[in-house]
């Protein structure tokens, strides 16, 4: 107990001397002490309080008089304080009344300053927001007028420069959320415009191509005219005097012509002017800005490849009209004109490798299509127009930098087909000419008619020129007509060779080869068919032989004609020759053989009407009527042969006599003939004598001695043997070269003897 009292004194001392904030820990130590420490502390505290009360009482007793004095003084001051209060209140009232107006003005000033501050703040914020709003308004306007590329640039400025300054405002957040949507909208709109563009050029590619081909053709014509004019002017510069005046006039005329053409060309839009490429540029820029340039390039190329396949797909009836080919070529040219323009005005959208690959694919398809469809063309005019279209097509695309050598190689294939169609057409013309010919020499009544004929056909005959009019030319009407048609064929063949970028030597070679085909195949075939026709008689065959002779002679003039066209001399090593000689020689041989055949057939016809009475007792004393008719026919026929070459007429006459002799011999040896009287032998001998007389009358000049009579020698010896009944001589001399009946065959004699 004694030990805890000093501790309680220390605690009380701390409570009295320390801050109230530290009382708590000090009091807690009281409760944490020994049991009943609280009671003892309270007792100690009460004792301390009593001590302090006694001290306060002592202090109050000590100062009581002063306090009383102070109260007395306060009471004295009280009256003065009341007066002061009244004065202060009155003064305060008057001051308040006087300050009301000042307060009102002060409050007004405060409000104005607040408003000014707010306005300044608003202006500052608006100055930050207005550029954003202006840019966004500009963006909306650009979207409305479809300036999408500019709109994307505006969006970029908004995002990177303006919106970060005012990002704390709600409208800014709305803008930020709308910008990606606007970008997608721009992409969709630009892609839609591109699709419309692709659809438009697919529909109008033929118009684009047609314009490009027309301009290429005009440019080529202009260049050709200029080149020709330069050549002419060069020649004119070699002259002096008045020729210079004419030269100047011609130059002025040409200049005016070219100026008029230039003015006309200025009025015509180019192929590129027909197309609005802005959708492509816009879409390319938009996708490039958005980082999707590769996606756009792939899409564009894919769509154009699809369109290329559609363009290259021909119509089934394309080969029927030239318009079908023209539309096909125009579409292809239009497609590649667009691609070439895109290649040169954009960077990377299409590349030269891409266009070359596309062109090679297209070229293979074009060549396959033309090979297939041109094979159906049977009209040479259509094939020629196709060739001209291919040339213009190739020249146009070559002007745009596309290789076209394979197209010109294809033209050589089509040229062969063109020649085939020409040959078919001229085959019909030749047939019509042969059908319409009267196969009679051409009569000319006067000099004028003669000049008309020789202007069509190069005929020269000094002997005929000496004769007086009227006279006859040896050939028939078909000869000048055939000659004219051969020249027309050469002109037609030349038309295809033009504009093929080939040398004059190559053109000359092509003309000669095609002309040779016309002569050796077409004309030769027509002649052979003509010769075989049933209605062609001996007179016609003779005229055909004469005609082919003159046509053969005219071949050298045809060679000169080709030389004049191509300016290639015939002495050139590689110059081909016309095969007219072999063509017309074969035709003559065929006609000659047909003459021999028809003569023999005619002889057989006469022989068939022979009506011998093989049992007659005596002959009539004169030759049979059928035989005399046959001999008269042969005489008149061989008179027609006077215009034939000598060997032909002689061969025909010899062949006829031999065939007549053989036919008469067969008549005697006919197995159906069982019995022959001597009177019939005598009558038959009279007929043979007439044949021998005909042979000795030299129906065709040129035979030596009795050559023609030898055709009947077998028959003569056989008849002599039976007429004189000289069997002993026959048997004695048989087998000897000097035998009188050397040509009589024993079996033949025995057969006739049995009859």
């Amino acid at each position: 107990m004694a030990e805890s009292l000093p501790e309680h004194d220390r605690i009380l001392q701390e409570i009295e001397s320390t801050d109230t904030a530290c009382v708590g820990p000090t009091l807690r130590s009281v409760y944490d002490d020994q049991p009943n420490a609280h009671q003892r502390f309270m007792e100690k505290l009460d004792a301390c309080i009593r001590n302090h009360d006694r001290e306060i009482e002592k202090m109050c007793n000590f100062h009581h008089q002063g306090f009383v004095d102070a109260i007395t003084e306060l009471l004295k001051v009280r009256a003065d304080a009341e007066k002061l209060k009244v004065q202060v209140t009155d003064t305060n009232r008057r001051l308040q009344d006087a300050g009301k107006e000042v307060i009102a003005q002060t409050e007004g000033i405060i409000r104005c300053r607040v408003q000014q501050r707010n306005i300044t703040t608003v202006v500052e914020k608006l100055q930050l927001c207005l550029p954003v709003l202006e840019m966004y308004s500009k963006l909306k306007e650009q979207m409305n007028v479809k300036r999408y590329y500019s709109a994307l640039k505006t969006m970029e400025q908004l995002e990177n420069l303006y919106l970060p300054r005012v990002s704390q405002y709600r409208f800014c957040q709305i803008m930020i959320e709308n910008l990606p949507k606007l970008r997608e909208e721009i992409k969709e709109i630009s892609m839609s415009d591109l699709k419309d563009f692709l659809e438009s050029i697919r529909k109008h590619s033929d118009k684009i191509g047609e314009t490009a081909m027309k301009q290429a053709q005009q440019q080529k014509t202009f260049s050709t005219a200029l080149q020709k004019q330069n050549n002419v002017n060069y020649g004119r510069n070699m002259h002096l005097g008045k020729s210079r005046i004419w030269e100047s006039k011609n130059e002025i005329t040409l200049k005016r012509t070219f100026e008029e053409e230039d003015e006309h060309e200025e009025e015509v839009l180019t192929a590129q002017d027909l197309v609005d490429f802005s959708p492509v540029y816009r879409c390319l820029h938009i996708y490039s800005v958005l980082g999707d340039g590769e996606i756009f390039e792939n899409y564009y190329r894919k769509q154009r490849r699809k369109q290329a396949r559609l363009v290259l797909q021909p119509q089934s009836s394309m080969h029927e009209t030239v318009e079908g080919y023209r539309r096909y070529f125009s579409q292809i040219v239009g497609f590649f004109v667009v691609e070439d323009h895109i290649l040169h005005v954009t960077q990377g959208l299409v590349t030269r490798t891409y266009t070359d690959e596309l062109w090679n694919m297209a070229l293979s398809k074009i060549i396959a299509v033309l090979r297939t469809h041109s094979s159906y063309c049977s009209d040479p005019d259509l094939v020629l127009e196709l060739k001209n279209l291919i040339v213009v097509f190739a020249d146009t695309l070559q002007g745009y930098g596309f290789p076209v050598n394979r197209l010109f190689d294809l033209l050589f294939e089509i040229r062969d087909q063109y020649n085939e169609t020409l040959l078919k057409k001229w085959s019909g013309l030749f047939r019509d000419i042969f059908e319409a010919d009267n196969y009679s020499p051409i009569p000319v009544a006067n000099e004028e008619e003669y000049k008309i004929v020789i202007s069509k056909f190069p005929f020269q005959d000094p002997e005929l020129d000496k004769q007086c009019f009227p006279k006859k030319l040896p050939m028939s009407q078909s000869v000048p007509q055939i000659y004219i048609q051969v020249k027309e064929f050469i002109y037609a063949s030349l038309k295809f060779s033009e504009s093929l970028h080939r040398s004059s030597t190559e053109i000359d070679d092509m003309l000669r080869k095609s002309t040779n085909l016309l002569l050796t195949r077409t004309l030769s075939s027509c002649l052979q068919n003509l010769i075989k026709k049933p209605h062609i008689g001996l007179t016609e065959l003779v005229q055909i032989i004469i005609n082919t002779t003159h046509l053969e002679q005219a071949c050298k003039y045809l060679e000169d004609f080709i030389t004049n066209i191509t300016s290639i001399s015939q002495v050139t090593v590689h110059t081909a020759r016309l095969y007219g000689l072999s063509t017309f020689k074969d035709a003559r041989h065929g006609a000659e053989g047909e003459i021999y055949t028809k003569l023999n057939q005619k002889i057989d016809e006469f022989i068939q009407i022979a009506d011998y009475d093989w049992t007659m007792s005596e002959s009539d004393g004169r030759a049979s009527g059928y035989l005399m008719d046959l001999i008269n026919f042969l005489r008149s026929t061989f008179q027609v042969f006077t215009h034939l070459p000598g060997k032909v007429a002689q061969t025909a006459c010899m062949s006829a006599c031999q065939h007549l002799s053989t036919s008469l011999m067969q008549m005697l040896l006919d197995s159906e003939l069982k019995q022959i009287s001597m009177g019939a032998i005598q009558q038959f001998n009279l007929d043979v004598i007439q044949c021998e007389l005909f042979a000795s009358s030299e129906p065709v000049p040129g035979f030596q001695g009795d050559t023609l009579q030898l055709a009947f020698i077998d028959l003569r010896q056989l008849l002599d043997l039976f007429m004189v009944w000289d069997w002993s001589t026959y048997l004695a001399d048989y087998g000897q070269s000097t035998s009188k009946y050397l040509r009589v065959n024993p079996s033949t004699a025995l057969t006739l003897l049995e009859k």
Side-chain angles (χ1 to χ4, degrees), residues 16 67 88 124 147 165 187 197 249 275 408 448 457 498 530-532 549 551 580 637 702 704 714:
E16 291 177 355
F67 176 74
V88 170
E124 291 175 356
R147 295 174 58 191
R165 300 175 182 175
K187 287 180 64 175
F197 167 80
K249 291 182 179 179
V275 183
F408 284 102
E448 183 178 356
F457 181 76
E498 294 173 346
L530 175 67
I531 292 168
K532 297 295 182 180
T549 302
L551 287 172
T637 299
Q704 296 180 355
D714 293 353

Side-chain angles (χ1 to χ4, degrees), residues 340-356:
D340 180 76
H341 183 77
I342 294 295
L343 172 66
H344 288 90
V345 300
T346 61
Q347 296 181 352
L349 180 55
V350 296
T351 62
R352 175 56 67 182
T353 303
Y354 162 79
T355 55
D356 290 344

Side-chain angles (χ1 to χ4, degrees), residues 401-592:
F402 295 99
V404 294
N405 292 334
R406 292 174 62 188
L407 285 174
F408 284 102
D409 294 339
L410 174 66
L411 283 174
F412 281 91
E413 299 179 20
I414 298 179
R415 181 201 64 188
D416 297 336
Q417 180 185 345
Y418 175 71
N419 286 336
E420 289 298 324
T421 58
L422 286 181
L423 293 175
K424 291 180 181 179
K425 179 180 179 180
W426 258 256
S427 177
L429 293 174
F430 289 153
R431 287 196 300 269
D432 294 340
I433 291 173
F434 289 141
E435 288 293 334
D437 195 8
N438 58 7
Y439 296 99
S440 300
I442 301 175
V444 287
N446 49 47
E447 183 73 20
E448 183 178 356
E449 292 183 2
Y450 180 73
K451 289 181 179 179
I452 292 175
V453 174
I454 63 175
S455 66
K456 299 178 181 178
F457 181 76
F459 174 74
Q460 294 179 354
D461 189 348
E463 296 297 329
L464 186 63
D465 292 341
K466 296 177 183 179
Q467 298 179 11
C468 298
F469 292 99
K471 52 189 175 183
K472 292 184 177 181
L473 302 181
M475 65 278 190
S476 64
Q477 289 288 351
S478 63
V479 173
Q481 293 175 358
I482 291 294
Y483 183 79
I484 291 173
Q485 287 303 322
V486 173
K487 291 174 67 176
E488 291 296 327
F489 176 87
I490 294 173
Y491 276 127
S493 182
L494 177 64
K495 288 180 181 179
F496 195 93
S497 301
E498 294 173 346
S499 304
L500 291 185
H501 307 298
R502 297 294 173 177
S503 64
S504 299
T505 303
E506 291 175 307
I507 294 176
D508 181 88
D509 186 62
M510 288 188 288
L511 287 180
R512 292 178 186 274
K513 287 181 179 179
S514 59
T515 306
N516 277 330
L517 283 176
L518 178 71
L519 296 176
T520 59
R521 198 173 76 183
T522 304
L523 182 56
S524 177
S525 176
C526 290
L527 286 171
Q528 295 296 337
N529 293 333
L530 175 67
I531 292 168
K532 297 295 182 180
K533 287 187 175 181
H535 69 277
I536 298 297
L538 293 171
T539 304
E540 289 80 2
L541 289 172
V542 171
Q543 188 62 54
I544 289 172
I545 292 175
I546 297 171
N547 290 348
T548 54
T549 302
H550 288 283
L551 287 172
E552 178 183 337
Q553 295 171 354
C555 283
K556 63 179 182 179
Y557 297 100
L558 291 175
E559 290 185 342
D560 295 338
F561 177 71
I562 295 175
T563 299
N564 292 333
I565 292 176
T566 60
S567 301
I568 299 299
S569 175
Q570 297 183 29
V571 299
T572 305
V573 176
H574 300 290
T575 301
R577 294 291 183 266
L578 297 184
Y579 301 145
L581 181 63
S582 61
T583 298
F584 297 116
K585 183 179 292 185
D586 293 342
R588 280 198 301 276
H589 288 165
E592 292 168 6

Side-chain angles (χ1 to χ4, degrees), residues 683-747:
Q683 181 64 41
F684 197 81
N685 183 56
L686 291 176
D687 294 342
V688 174
I689 291 173
Q690 290 298 323
C691 293
E692 292 172 334
L693 291 174
F694 169 74
S696 62
S697 66
E698 198 175 2
V700 174
F703 285 106
Q704 296 180 355
D706 56 352
T707 302
L708 192 58
Q709 291 92 316
L710 292 177
F712 301 96
I713 188 64
D714 293 353
L715 195 57
R716 168 50 51 203
Q717 290 185 5
L718 179 63
L719 289 176
D720 286 347
L721 175 61
F722 279 87
M723 291 292 294
V724 298
W725 209 255
D726 194 7
W727 291 97
S728 59
T729 303
Y730 174 73
L731 294 174
D733 296 341
Y734 179 74
Q736 298 181 10
S737 59
T738 58
S739 174
K740 182 180 178 180
Y741 304 103
L742 180 64
R743 306 298 293 270
V744 178
N745 190 295
S747 61

